[in-house]
Amino acid sequence: MKKEKILVIGASGQIGVELTLALRKIYGGSQVIASDLREENELLKGTGPYVSIDVMNKEMLHVQILRQNITQVYLLAAMLSATGEKNPPLAWNLNMQSLLNVLDIAKEEKLHKVFWPSSIAVFGPTSPKLDCPQQTIIEPTTVYGISKYAGEFWCNYFFHRYGVDVRSLRYPGLISYKSSPGGGTTDYAIEIFHSAKEKGSYTSFLNEHTRLPMMYMPDAIKATIELMEAPAEKIKVRTSYNIAAMSFSPIEIANEIQRHIPAFKIDFKPDFRQTIAESWPQSIDDTHARNDWGWRHDFDLSRMTLDMLHNIN
Ligand code: NAD
Ligand code: SER
């Protein structure tokens, strides 16, 4: 087992649950402290320690980091794109202040590493739609995207100015079955599987041809851990890495589900999330991640669909 003591903030969320479980396998249950504002997720119970932390309370966070001898922090607490548009000041405050609190403590306590996720939401309508490159025009139109882009530059700043080894990925929409999604524009691609199995039909809040970059959770967890374990000299992008696995639209995922559930039906009632989705690229160029630290994905649409349908009860 490796000698690190890890704090996962936002551990009861969609990514947090699976990331905490994966880190506990590598580092040992007692070495990975799960924390969240909400109660401990059922799947985490009995697998390692849990503490209640509000990441906005910097003093409390600092005390916990010292008390638990933390050497690495994974910061996952945030408000996602769709929820963020309902309360922009709250989203900006949480997404920015949480990161600044963690970076400041990391600098002061000389933490070994910090992970903080960005998103494809940094891109906006003026970014290239296809194979959107690492460096390009970036003019986000959601408060979530603005907060992620600003956050990327804070990471870059703390690395170059203070030597904080903070690493980041621009996750695409993430699809999983173990824990519920937290209010994103890409959540339809999770709801559709549950609805297909429960009702045999689904009404999509995005229209049929809205293609977005997506990734299955096991790939996202693999990317996160590989990025964090890579030697520091291989991490050449200190804002946030583009990563990609697949792209599909609601009609394409519906067609894939129909291969397993032929009677499955889909219809479309786009809401405010359609505008958000249309502002994002359809596909992402992740050459830098592939070249710098060897990123490779395992799941495409058909393999993910098979696994989701198999695992959702
Ligand atoms: P989520 O909403 O499922 O989980 C976030 C967790 O943070 C929740 O459990 C919530 O209770 C907790 N939290 C909120 N405020 C807190 C606070 N003040 N103190 C402590 N905990 C608090 O989100 P997620 O989908 O797991 O996303 C995690 C990170 O990954 C976010 O930064 C998100 O922007 C990013 N991301 C997610 C996706 C995706 O598709 N899920 C895609 C791109 C980027
Ligand atoms: N899945 C996320 C969202 O839709 C992308 O960051 O908000």
Side-chain angles (χ1 to χ4, degrees):
M1 294 283 173
K2 302 184 179 184
K3 281 261 177 275
E4 292 284 348
K5 193 86 184 276
I6 296 173
L7 178 66
V8 182
I9 303 170
S12 289
Q14 190 199 355
I15 302 171
V17 170
E18 298 203 37
L19 186 58
T20 302
L21 293 173
L23 289 169
R24 282 180 174 163
K25 269 198 184 146
I26 300 170
Y27 293 94
S30 60
Q31 296 302 106
V32 181
I33 317 284
S35 74
D36 205 294
L37 202 53
R38 56 173 146 152
E39 70 280 7
E40 184 179 19
N41 185 286
E42 283 301 317
L43 294 174
L44 295 180
K45 286 186 178 160
T47 67
Y50 173 83
V51 289
S52 176
I53 287 182
D54 180 357
V55 69
M56 300 297 277
N57 185 337
K58 190 177 174 189
E59 250 173 65
M60 183 173 102
L61 176 66
H62 202 153
V63 167
Q64 282 293 350
I65 284 175
L66 290 176
R67 189 180 288 161
Q68 310 274 0
N69 295 314
I70 296 299
T71 59
Q72 294 188 15
V73 172
Y74 288 69
L75 170 58
L76 303 173
M79 204 179 280
L80 277 80
S81 60
T83 317
E85 288 311 289
K86 293 182 182 159
N87 195 336
L90 201 64
W92 175 257
N93 199 25
L94 172 63
N95 295 2
M96 288 290 42
Q97 200 54 52
S98 58
L99 177 61
L100 290 173
N101 287 351
V102 168
L103 289 176
D104 228 24
I105 297 170
K107 173 187 113 190
E108 211 167 310
E109 301 307 332
K110 299 193 171 19
L111 297 187
H112 298 170
K113 281 176 205 166
V114 174
F115 176 77
W116 172 84
S118 183
S119 160
I120 53 159
V122 293
F123 299 115
T126 49
S127 305
K129 285 281 170 214
L130 298 179
D131 296 331
C132 190
Q134 178 70 42
Q135 276 141 344
T136 184
I137 300 169
I138 298 189
E139 297 178 330
T141 51
T142 60
V143 65
Y144 176 67
I146 299 169
S147 71
K148 288 296 183 189
Y149 200 38
E152 289 187 5
F153 282 95
W154 277 118
C155 292
N156 195 50
Y157 184 86
F158 268 76
F159 172 72
H160 288 290
R161 173 102 203 251
Y162 305 118
V164 175
D165 189 354
V166 49
R167 304 177 181 196
S168 179
L169 298 171
R170 288 173 179 158
Y171 288 136
L174 300 182
I175 295 145
S176 63
Y177 60 88
K178 289 191 183 160
S179 45
S180 313
T185 302
T186 54
D187 292 2
Y188 91 85
I190 300 168
E191 292 174 6
I192 194 170
F193 285 106
H194 290 275
S195 201
K197 285 209 94 168
E198 282 158 25
K199 300 193 286 185
S201 65
Y202 179 63
T203 301
S204 169
F205 58 75
L206 297 185
N207 79 28
E208 58 188 311
H209 296 303
T210 312
R211 281 194 122 224
L212 287 172
M214 300 278 188
M215 183 176 285
Y216 198 32
M217 190 61 86
D219 273 337
I221 301 299
K222 184 175 87 153
T224 308
I225 290 173
E226 284 179 2
L227 173 81
M228 289 298 274
E229 297 208 327
E233 63 275 12
K234 293 206 165 189
I235 310 300
K236 302 201 176 100
V237 175
R238 285 293 178 169
T239 48
S240 187
Y241 275 100
N242 278 8
I243 48 162
M246 62 183 112
S247 288
F248 56 78
S249 62
I251 194 70
E252 286 168 328
I253 191 172
N255 288 341
E256 193 60 39
I257 291 171
Q258 276 162 353
R259 290 179 55 207
H260 306 274
I261 309 175
F264 174 66
K265 289 201 168 29
I266 184 164
D267 62 355
F268 306 92
K269 283 205 184 107
D271 65 15
F272 73 100
R273 289 168 280 194
Q274 181 65 34
T275 314
I276 300 176
E278 279 172 14
S279 76
W280 294 346
Q282 295 175 5
S283 59
I284 298 289
D285 177 350
D286 60 358
T287 308
H288 286 269
R290 288 177 190 266
N291 290 345
D292 289 1
W293 45 275
W295 160 241
R296 301 283 179 273
H297 67 279
D298 292 325
F299 286 86
D300 59 11
L301 177 57
S302 61
R303 190 166 171 215
M304 176 188 76
T305 303
L306 197 65
D307 204 61
M308 283 292 284
L309 291 174
H310 176 74
N311 282 296
I312 290 174
N313 291 315

